[in-house]
Amino acid sequence: MAAIDVTIPPGELQAIFDALPDVVFFLKDHEGRYTHVNLTLVRRLGMKDRSEVVGKTALQVFPPRLGGAYVVQDRRVLDGEIIENQLEVHLYPNRTPGWCLTFKRPLAGGRRSLIGISRDLGQPDSRDSAFGRLQRAVETMQAHYGEPLRVQALAAIAEVSVAQLERLFKRVFQLTPQQMLTKLRIEAAMRLLHTDASIADIGQACGFSDQSAFARQFKATVGVPPRDYRALRR
DNA sequence: TTTCCCCGCGAGGAAAATCT
DNA sequence: AGATTTTCCTCGCGGGGAAA
């Protein structure tokens, strides 16, 4: 494929992303300060004007523990890591948690910087011809996410091969079967974290093999460990 | 108080199981 | 086949108590 050499100034990029209400967009400089943010992000942060965000770091615009998590992630990205299609929960002040697929990577160029794009998880495409058979697999997940569940078994339920199930799932739900299962488990865990059950019990109840695996997965998708999430929400 | 121990929790390595 | 996730396990930390 021939590369087309077009350079889009950041400001223009920002304006383009302003038009996307379900996509969060930002650029950050090497010290993690926002240099460009789209209005979607500004609004979700509970602010009115872009200038309230630009120049600040995640630490300054997110609740304390959350901001810290973003700082850590940003550092890894600045060191060259690329994050693609990562299933995440975004927590904003005064906003119900939202599921997103996140893309983040360092930006080429003189000074080190990074770009991040998160798109909200859309509604499943219920008109897709495969929806019906996937429905059965999804129902199984919903009923049994608290137990060990193998994708292979789900494929059998949907009467397709594993490979086929992956493709259909992405098409209809924008998620792989594994991601959907994780989503169900973490959602349940977030609910249970409002009670005072122990962290280990919650992990167990949500289908994680042990507390360690639970905390690890939870932190990876929510950004903070279970204990901090609980503290954050009370 | 101070010391000691137990617990709950988080982090992360290594190897095996599973998924993409 | 290659990448990711899970499992199993160990470690360290800090918050209670209980015991001294």
Side-chain angles (χ1 to χ4, degrees):
Chain A
M1 195 198 295
I4 302 173
D5 187 6
V6 179
T7 304
I8 304 178
E12 196 166 322
L13 207 52
Q14 182 182 64
I16 292 169
F17 277 102
D18 278 346
L20 272 26
D22 52 359
V23 173
V24 162
F25 159 86
F26 56 83
L27 299 177
K28 294 184 186 177
D29 68 16
H30 60 116
E31 280 170 7
R33 286 182 299 239
Y34 292 100
T35 58
H36 300 267
V37 297
N38 73 343
L39 292 176
T40 307
L41 177 54
V42 173
R43 266 185 255 108
R44 288 185 185 187
L45 288 169
M47 299 177 177
K48 288 189 66 183
D49 197 277
R50 206 169 346 242
S51 63
E52 296 172 80
V53 182
V54 170
K56 295 190 177 150
T57 67
L59 278 176
Q60 295 167 290
V61 294
F62 283 99
R65 318 191 196 226
L66 257 184
Y70 289 129
V71 168
V72 171
Q73 192 188 44
D74 288 349
R75 181 155 308 123
R76 292 218 317 275
V77 171
L78 283 171
D79 283 339
E81 185 171 333
I82 294 179
I83 293 173
E84 269 175 304
N85 279 329
Q86 168 151 317
L87 183 62
E88 286 184 340
V89 175
H90 283 187
L91 304 170
Y92 297 101
N94 311 322
R95 214 162 173 288
T96 54
W99 288 91
C100 308
L101 288 169
T102 291
F103 171 94
K104 240 178 197 185
R105 56 163 281 185
L107 230 40
R111 222 180 274 132
R112 299 201 316 164
S113 57
L114 69 85
I115 178 171
I117 300 171
S118 280
R119 55 176 240 269
D120 295 354
L121 219 51
Q123 289 302 110
D125 180 2
S126 58
R127 281 161 308 176
D128 194 289
S129 58
F131 188 80
R133 56 177 34 182
L134 293 191
Q135 189 75 45
R136 296 207 301 279
V138 171
E139 280 163 8
T140 305
M141 281 197 232
Q142 284 166 342
H144 300 290
Y145 63 78
E147 307 151 27
L149 250 189
R150 273 170 278 125
V151 171
Q152 181 128 351
L154 296 170
I157 287 163
E159 298 178 296
V160 295
S161 70
V162 171
Q164 194 62 211
L165 189 73
E166 303 284 352
R167 262 178 277 130
L168 294 178
F169 250 78
K170 270 193 190 156
R171 199 170 80 200
V172 176
F173 299 106
Q174 304 156 315
L175 296 173
T176 65
Q178 186 60 43
Q179 284 178 319
M180 160 134 348
L181 187 56
T182 298
K183 177 168 176 279
L184 285 168
R185 286 178 166 162
I186 297 291
E187 274 169 347
M190 289 193 294
R191 250 178 278 125
L192 288 174
L193 282 167
H194 292 292
T195 71
D196 46 17
S198 82
I199 304 277
D201 287 350
I202 292 173
Q204 184 69 40
C206 298
F208 296 96
S209 69
D210 63 7
Q211 163 267 325
S212 168
F214 172 47
R216 185 166 5 196
Q217 182 66 71
F218 194 91
K219 185 174 178 187
T221 93
V222 182
V224 297
R227 176 170 28 89
D228 291 7
Y229 176 83
R230 174 175 268 166
L232 210 56
R233 306 242 112 205
R234 50 176 59 151

